[in-house]
Amino acid sequence: MKLNISQKASGKANASALFFVKQSIQFSDVLNETAEKQAESVLAGMKDGVFEDLEFVELDNKPTIFVDAAKDRGISSLDHLRTAAFRLAKKAMQKQIPMVSLMLADAADEQFKAIAHGLHYADYKFDAYKSKQKDNFQVTFEIVAGDRAASFKKVAEEVAIEQKAITLTRNLVNTPGSDLTPAEFVERAKTVAKYTSGLSIKIRDAKQLVKEGFNGIATVGKGSATPPFMVTLSYNGAGRTRTSKDHLVIVGKGLTFDTGGLCLKPAKSMPEMISDMTGAATALAAIQAIATLELPIKVSAVLCLAENRIGEHAMLPGDIFTAKNGKTVMVDNTDAEGRLALSDGLAEAGLIGATHIIDLATLTGAMVRALGYAVAGFFSNDDALALNVINCGEACCEKFWSMPLEEEYADALKDKFADLKNTGSDAGAISAALFLQEFVPADTAWSHWDIAGTAFVTKKWKYTEYGATGFGVQTLIELASRMAAGENAENETKEYAEV
């Protein structure tokens, strides 16, 4: 897929596309009188059921695709544009149309960005394990932007960087666990650091983890023949003038495969456990994009990498270890391992001077049961950060719902022999967040994202056919961008009346 942005139409397009909402064509006031009347007739037919979304008709002797920009329920106006552009691109590839023209001179930057993301999403496929691979038919989308051409070109460059990061996340998550071990994940992180200007990397292996007291990751990973690692990537602003004193640290759960350990998972739940490293993949992709965009803010990413397998050295229910912050933890359930690994990532964030921490993890089935696949639940100890997460998510078409850090459930995490145990008796997602809060450095703004439902889907959802969604990458980039600009959390996401 290629975007060609220009002020005027080249006349070379094989077809045009028009976005519509109910009886109104969006972004285009360039239709001649004949075409306008024909378009009105088509839209009337849409209402009566004669025509439908992606209808391909002649408009003043020009092939035209009508794309419904309000087709789905429950999503924002910007997400309507994304999903509409996604469907358009899929249709154009299916019909093998070499060039499609979009008249978008009346679109705002945010609206064009949503459309560009939708077009890019349609280009993704994961066929590395197919015996016969087939390239997507390449469609060029001619964006007729008028006076907005220069602005749209800048937006398109940003979208391409974000989509590269999203693709990195999805490819990592969709890779089978036997091929993406903790050691292989480290190699992927080293490659990202090598080819991304401004990124540095520090790698701790199993021996170093134990030596330095990072016993959460070491305990989780000791049952596997493939040892655990902790990777810290750092970006200092690429030499640009930084006015912000903030240091955002993204901590990602990286269980490259999770059997549940001795508390074994059910067989039918096991194949999806290739996605249990989504938090780490998202953190790696986000910092790659932040560095490429040269945002003037200090950002680090901490990847907590391990396999939770059954082996002769596997952790046992009832085992007790001392965490990096000195608290002792009893392993009540070996399938509640993600929070053990994240405890080390949170400690590392404190050691490197975080002012703000986002940890993200496919952590609990309780969150999936509560919010499903469309909304990520999150927790925060800081109201301004929480509002920023919601606003950034809205701008990126990613839904977040604030969950309570209900202290009433905290006593259930106390253990008879250790300071803490890794499971509570009630409210599974809240208990997990309360456990993590025990390891958050003092006086640090923190938010925990439980992306268990949104990270990986087994049925078609918006612009994902199956597998990894890349959820969270864009919100992290947007959050870093707003923090770099010093924007207040109170700034509301814009809504546009057109769609």
Side-chain angles (χ1 to χ4, degrees):
M1 192 277 294
K2 181 181 178 182
L3 292 182
N4 183 16
I5 301 168
S6 59
Q7 287 186 314
K8 299 179 180 179
S10 67
K12 298 178 181 178
N14 306 94
S16 296
L18 295 174
F19 294 98
F20 72 91
V21 175
K22 297 181 179 178
Q23 301 298 294
S24 177
I25 297 293
Q26 306 296 303
F27 315 128
S28 181
D29 57 2
V30 297
L31 298 179
N32 61 35
E33 186 176 348
T34 301
E36 281 187 4
K37 290 182 178 179
Q38 291 174 332
E40 289 174 4
S41 176
V42 172
L43 293 178
M46 296 281 184
K47 182 180 178 182
D48 297 335
V50 178
F51 299 119
E52 58 185 17
D53 179 41
L54 302 178
E55 193 73 38
F56 196 79
V57 299
E58 294 283 328
L59 217 69
D60 194 24
N61 298 318
K62 295 178 183 178
T64 305
I65 304 173
F66 280 75
V67 192
D68 190 345
K71 180 179 172 65
D72 302 294
R73 296 182 63 179
I75 62 176
S76 70
S77 59
L78 292 178
D79 213 6
H80 274 304
L81 289 175
R82 283 198 190 200
T83 55
F86 173 81
R87 295 195 308 274
L88 168 62
K90 285 291 190 184
K91 184 76 168 183
M93 286 190 287
Q94 177 190 351
K95 284 188 166 289
Q96 297 193 346
I97 305 172
M99 181 180 288
V100 177
S101 180
L102 294 176
M103 304 294 182
L104 297 179
D106 295 334
D109 283 359
E110 290 86 352
Q111 292 170 316
F112 170 63
K113 185 173 184 177
I115 290 168
H117 269 298
L119 298 176
H120 275 285
Y121 271 116
D123 221 20
Y124 178 80
K125 63 177 180 176
F126 186 75
D127 61 358
Y129 292 86
K130 293 283 188 180
S131 58
K132 294 182 179 179
Q133 298 176 353
K134 185 178 179 181
D135 291 335
N136 287 337
F137 182 83
Q138 292 301 300
V139 180
T140 296
F141 288 91
E142 180 183 64
I143 309 299
V144 183
D147 294 339
R148 305 193 64 80
S151 177
F152 280 10
K153 285 179 181 179
K154 184 175 183 298
V155 171
E157 290 173 359
E158 294 172 356
V159 169
I161 291 169
E162 292 179 3
Q163 281 291 326
K164 180 180 178 182
I166 293 166
T167 295
L168 171 63
T169 298
R170 297 174 79 179
N171 285 346
L172 286 170
V173 174
N174 288 334
T175 300
S178 293
D179 290 342
L180 188 70
T181 61
E184 177 58 26
F185 203 127
V186 169
E187 293 303 312
R188 304 285 185 97
K190 286 165 67 175
T191 299
V192 168
K194 179 179 179 180
Y195 292 103
T196 306
S197 178
L199 272 188
S200 62
I201 187 168
K202 180 177 181 178
I203 301 165
R204 294 180 175 93
D205 62 17
K207 289 183 179 179
Q208 290 169 301
L209 290 172
V210 173
K211 182 179 179 180
E212 296 182 36
F214 292 104
N215 292 314
I217 300 174
T219 297
V220 171
K222 67 181 184 177
S224 173
T226 302
F229 293 86
M230 183 161 69
V231 177
T232 302
L233 298 110
S234 300
Y235 164 73
N236 289 314
R240 296 177 62 180
T241 301
R242 279 196 287 118
T243 56
S244 172
K245 296 181 180 179
D246 292 334
H247 180 188
L248 173 63
V249 179
I250 308 165
V251 180
K253 174 188 173 184
L255 269 292
T256 57
F257 198 83
D258 178 22
T259 67
L262 291 176
C263 301
L264 194 65
K265 289 182 181 293
K268 76 173 188 176
S269 302
M270 205 78 78
E272 292 177 38
M273 288 304 102
I274 62 171
S275 69
D276 215 22
M277 34 58 68
T278 302
T282 306
L284 175 62
I287 198 169
Q288 178 199 56
I290 289 165
T292 303
L293 290 166
E294 297 185 347
L295 298 182
I297 182 174
K298 186 174 184 178
V299 180
S300 299
V302 182
L303 318 180
C304 307
L305 306 176
E307 276 186 337
N308 187 21
R309 287 209 186 192
I310 298 172
E312 59 180 331
H313 300 297
M315 60 179 168
L316 307 176
D319 280 355
I320 295 174
F321 69 89
T322 302
K324 178 65 176 176
N325 69 349
K327 294 181 181 181
T328 56
V329 179
M330 189 273 283
V331 181
D332 187 48
N333 187 322
T334 64
D335 195 24
E337 84 300 328
R339 63 202 72 179
L340 305 181
L342 286 173
S343 71
D344 284 341
L346 294 169
E348 170 73 346
L351 291 174
I352 60 179
T355 60
H356 297 74
I357 301 173
I358 301 291
D359 82 68
L360 62 164
T362 48
L363 206 65
T364 67
M367 189 61 77
V368 181
R369 291 188 289 275
L371 297 180
Y373 56 84
V375 185
F378 80 100
F379 303 80
S380 184
N381 65 358
D382 184 272
D383 290 342
L385 177 58
L387 187 55
N388 236 346
V389 169
I390 292 172
N391 287 346
C392 290
E394 287 179 353
C396 298
C397 305
E398 296 182 332
K399 295 181 182 180
F400 289 84
W401 188 265
S402 181
M403 302 288 287
L405 282 165
E406 182 50 65
E407 293 289 337
E408 189 170 339
Y409 299 122
D411 284 347
L413 293 170
K414 292 180 179 179
D415 184 61
K416 293 182 174 61
F417 298 136
D419 298 327
L420 298 165
K421 57 182 178 179
N422 69 334
T423 60
S425 55
D426 298 291
I430 298 174
S431 293
L434 289 169
F435 178 88
L436 291 174
Q437 191 177 33
E438 295 286 336
F439 303 92
V440 176
D443 302 319
T444 306
W446 160 73
S447 179
H448 160 59
W449 301 0
D450 192 334
I451 58 172
T454 56
F456 192 95
V457 292
T458 56
K459 61 181 180 180
K460 188 180 185 304
W461 177 52
K462 293 200 293 191
Y463 12 83
T464 303
E465 301 287 342
Y466 178 91
T469 64
F471 182 96
V473 173
Q474 292 168 74
T475 298
L476 287 170
I477 298 167
E478 181 69 16
L479 180 63
S481 178
R482 294 191 184 195
M483 290 176 64
E487 293 184 17
N488 294 324
E490 287 78 11
N491 289 349
E492 295 295 331
T493 301
K494 296 178 183 178
E495 285 292 331
Y496 295 91
E498 294 98 318
V499 286

